Amino acid sequence: MAGTVAGTAGTGGGIDLVLIGANGGPEKAFAGSAQAGQGAGELARALPGVCFDAGSQGCRVTVVPPEADANTMLTALRAAARQEGRWLVVGLLGQLVADPRGRRLALVTAGSTTENAYMRGLAWDWVVSTMVHGTQEGVLLLVDLVARPDTWALLDGRGGDQGVAELLTHSRVPLWGRIGPHPAGRRGRSSILPGGEGSFSWALGRVLDRGVPAAPPAIGPAEFQPAVAAELAWGELASGIEARLLVPPSGGRLLLRNRAAVRGALAGLSVSEELLAVLWRESTTTDPGSD
């Protein structure tokens, strides 16, 4: 069962955060998902405290166990989509697989084999459809994913058929994250695993903790993206493997707290004044809205 790890948002406000880090199990072909659960935990730690609409007290967080099956994952997502709130933010972490005809994508789930991974997995179109038909005012899909060469070729458009690649461009579900190849068995090159060092979830957690210097106190995902991309760049250079970065559109209404701006505002205060400022901020019952 999915576990709720943060507080409950008030009716009509707040953010619902659903994190699905799927571990495909011991099958060697799906080793790219081995640290996906770790990445989901990192996002569950880093995101609620910077959700400017509500803060930690107004962010419902559901982390689906990494060994869960597709039905459990979809049930958790649908339950969150029925909540009344301002935003539904979903994180998908793990390894993608395409069906034999190269038409649909799925997130590999535990116990899969190379023969049944697509049928057992969490279908991408199920996730997108659930988000589109949710009750929240807006949605954002975070992705930290890898794919083996056959699926990666379809996502990268090199197969000549854009059927799968077009799934990544749904007009009502903006994406933010990284999808990279998982070239198992290639000497001298190691894939960056979702949830591991150098991954999108790892980089996003670091940037949210540090903030973006010289930026306003509340900024959107697009304003965080350059700093996240800079964190990811060293891993790409070290591995020699180029991934696909998915950049969220600018001008959205979802704003995240920029901790660098808060630290800058407090830098000139005395110790006692700084302590009072922190206490005031922590005791404030409502945060500035995103409008």
Side-chain angles (χ1 to χ4, degrees):
M1 296 179 62
T4 300
V5 297
T8 301
T11 301
I15 294 176
D16 287 276
L17 177 62
V18 180
L19 299 168
I20 300 173
N23 188 329
E27 177 72 38
K28 187 177 180 180
F30 305 133
S33 65
Q35 299 183 49
Q38 177 179 315
E42 171 62 12
L43 293 179
R45 179 200 66 79
L47 276 167
V50 296
C51 289
F52 220 101
D53 284 69
S56 297
Q57 296 304 311
C59 186
R60 287 176 288 251
V61 184
T62 302
V63 181
V64 180
E67 68 278 4
D69 60 19
N71 184 62
T72 300
M73 294 174 180
L74 187 60
T75 298
L77 178 55
R78 286 175 172 170
R82 288 193 295 267
Q83 298 287 344
E84 292 188 9
R86 289 177 59 84
W87 280 86
L88 173 62
V89 180
V90 178
L92 289 185
L93 302 92
Q95 186 164 332
L96 290 176
V97 63
D99 73 301
R101 295 188 300 169
R103 300 292 182 182
R104 303 179 73 187
L105 287 172
L107 184 70
V108 176
T109 55
S112 298
T113 67
T114 54
E115 290 76 24
N116 67 15
Y118 171 71
M119 293 181 290
R120 291 178 59 101
L122 176 66
W124 181 281
D125 54 317
W126 294 351
V127 174
V128 171
S129 177
T130 301
M131 296 179 71
V132 166
H133 293 97
T135 59
Q136 288 83 0
E137 297 175 24
V139 299
L140 177 66
L141 180 54
L142 306 174
V143 294
D144 191 357
L145 301 163
V146 293
R148 287 176 63 84
D150 53 348
T151 300
W152 174 250
L154 295 172
L155 290 169
D156 204 29
R158 293 196 304 268
D161 186 344
Q162 296 297 315
V164 169
E166 287 179 354
L167 293 175
L168 305 181
T169 57
H170 195 288
S171 61
R172 295 177 60 187
V173 182
L175 302 180
W176 187 16
R178 176 187 185 274
I179 302 179
H182 180 56
R186 294 180 63 183
R187 292 185 179 180
R189 297 193 173 195
S190 58
S191 177
I192 295 173
L193 302 185
E197 189 171 7
S199 68
F200 172 74
S201 52
W202 172 88
L204 180 58
R206 288 167 63 91
V207 171
L208 293 179
D209 287 344
R210 183 178 63 239
V212 180
I219 57 179
E223 288 68 46
F224 274 103
Q225 173 60 21
V228 174
E231 290 285 346
L232 294 172
W234 72 266
E236 304 249 334
L237 289 172
S239 66
I241 298 173
E242 186 176 355
R244 179 173 179 178
L245 296 184
L246 302 168
V247 181
S250 59
R253 298 177 65 191
L254 175 65
L255 297 180
L256 301 174
R257 192 185 307 275
N258 179 16
R259 289 190 166 128
V262 174
R263 285 193 296 271
L266 296 177
L269 300 179
S270 68
V271 173
S272 59
E273 290 173 329
E274 181 174 331
L275 178 59
L276 287 173
V278 172
L279 292 173
W280 175 84
R281 188 171 69 251
E282 294 297 325
S283 64
T284 300
T285 56
T286 59
D287 291 322
S290 296
D291 295 333

